[in-house]
């Protein structure tokens, strides 16, 4: 698991390296995943979007171009510098979301809270607590969309792991069958879409 310093070092080559790694685990279908999340966002005047783990801005730059108000957090200052270059009117804070949302953003209500390839840095219990806490930062009828390395079942994750060289044992990937049930017990309804062999998106829009 890379530290903020590790991501700082990767920042300048991040976008290019993703292109080279877009076949097989861990980035199979990477741009399909980003496109899926973007299609889930219904843009209108004043749509506020919070990107958690914004990185270099790959996920939100198209939403920004189409007029969304973009907010972002990331623990890598170098990544944020690149995001700010392509979204100069966005609002970005250097912050580790493992500690929750920054206090500066807590008063703001967002129409969408989105994230890609970031939440695997939290263990399963922290994932659930974090997602549940995000509901307090949504506008009425807002939506949370979490896209990441993920699998529908634990069996499918095990199969990918067994067939993969260089599997990262330090990361905690989503298993949809398990996380949707845990969210249901916390009174949140979640739906999951598998997008590639090792990535998918979790959508949370309703309270049970």
């Amino acid at each position: 698991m890379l530290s903020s310093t590790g991501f700082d070092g990767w920042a300048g080559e991040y976008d290019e390296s993703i292109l080279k790694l877009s076949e097989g685990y861990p980035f199979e279908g990477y741009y399909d995943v980003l496109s899926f999340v973007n299609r889930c966002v219904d843009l209108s005047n004043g749509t506020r979007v919070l990107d958690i783990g914004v990185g270099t801005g790959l996920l939100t730059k198209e939403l920004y171009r189409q007029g969304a108000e973009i907010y972002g957090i990331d623990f890598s200052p170098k990544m944020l510098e690149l995001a700010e270059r392509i979204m100069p009117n966005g609002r970005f804070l250097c912050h580790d979301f493992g500690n929750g949302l920054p206090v500066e953003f807590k008063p703001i209500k967002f129409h969408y809270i989105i994230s890609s390839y970031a939440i695997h840095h939290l263990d399963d219990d922290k994932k659930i607590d974090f997602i549940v806490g995000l509901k307090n930062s949504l506008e009425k009828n807002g939506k949370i969309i979490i896209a990441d390395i993920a699998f529908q079942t634990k069996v499918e994750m095990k199969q990918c792991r067994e067939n993969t060289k260089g599997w990262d044992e330090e990361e905690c990937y989503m298993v949809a069958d398990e996380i949707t049930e845990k969210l249901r017990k916390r009174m949140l309804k979640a739906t999951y879409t598998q997008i590639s062999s090792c990535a998918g998106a979790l959508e949370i829009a309703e309270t049970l």
Side-chain angles (χ1 to χ4, degrees), residues 38 43 47 50 88 93 104-105 117 125 128 146 155 166 171 182 189 208:
N38 275 258
L43 289 173
T47 299
L50 172 61
L93 290 175
E104 295 92 336
F105 285 176
Y117 294 86
D125 288 340
I128 298 301
I146 306 290
V155 170
E171 308 292 16
K182 289 177 179 178
K189 181 180 179 181
L208 294 175

Side-chain angles (χ1 to χ4, degrees), residues 86-101:
I86 62 173
M87 296 181 283
N89 292 321
R91 184 176 175 189
F92 302 99
L93 290 175
C94 189
H95 178 80
D96 185 345
F97 67 82
N99 299 315
L101 294 185

Side-chain angles (χ1 to χ4, degrees), residues 25 120 124 127 149-151 157 167-168 171-175:
Y25 165 92
H120 58 261
D124 284 351
K127 281 187 183 71
I149 299 163
F151 306 86
M157 183 171 72
W167 181 272
D168 192 337
E171 308 292 16
C172 300
Y173 301 131
M174 290 193 299
V175 174

Side-chain angles (χ1 to χ4, degrees), residues 158-197:
K158 182 180 179 182
Q159 289 172 342
C160 183
R161 179 182 180 182
E162 290 174 345
N163 294 319
T164 297
K165 293 181 179 179
W167 181 272
D168 192 337
E169 299 290 351
E170 294 185 350
E171 308 292 16
C172 300
Y173 301 131
M174 290 193 299
V175 174
D177 286 355
E178 296 179 357
I179 199 166
T180 54
E181 176 61 18
K182 289 177 179 178
L183 288 169
R184 186 191 67 78
K185 291 179 179 178
R186 300 286 293 272
M187 305 305 293
L188 292 179
K189 181 180 179 181
T191 58
Y192 176 78
T193 304
Q194 192 74 39
I195 300 170
S196 76
S197 62

Side-chain angles (χ1 to χ4, degrees), residues 106-122:
K106 285 188 176 180
I108 304 170
K109 297 293 185 181
F110 300 97
H111 299 96
Y112 293 90
I113 298 176
I114 62 178
S115 181
S116 65
Y117 294 86
I119 203 169
H120 58 261
H121 297 307
L122 302 181

Side-chain angles (χ1 to χ4, degrees), residues 125-144:
D125 288 340
K126 288 183 178 179
K127 281 187 183 71
I128 298 301
D129 289 342
F130 182 65
I131 292 170
V132 170
L134 292 178
K135 287 291 289 185
N136 296 325
S137 295
L138 282 180
E139 289 278 10
K140 185 179 179 181
N141 299 319
K143 181 183 267 190
I144 300 166

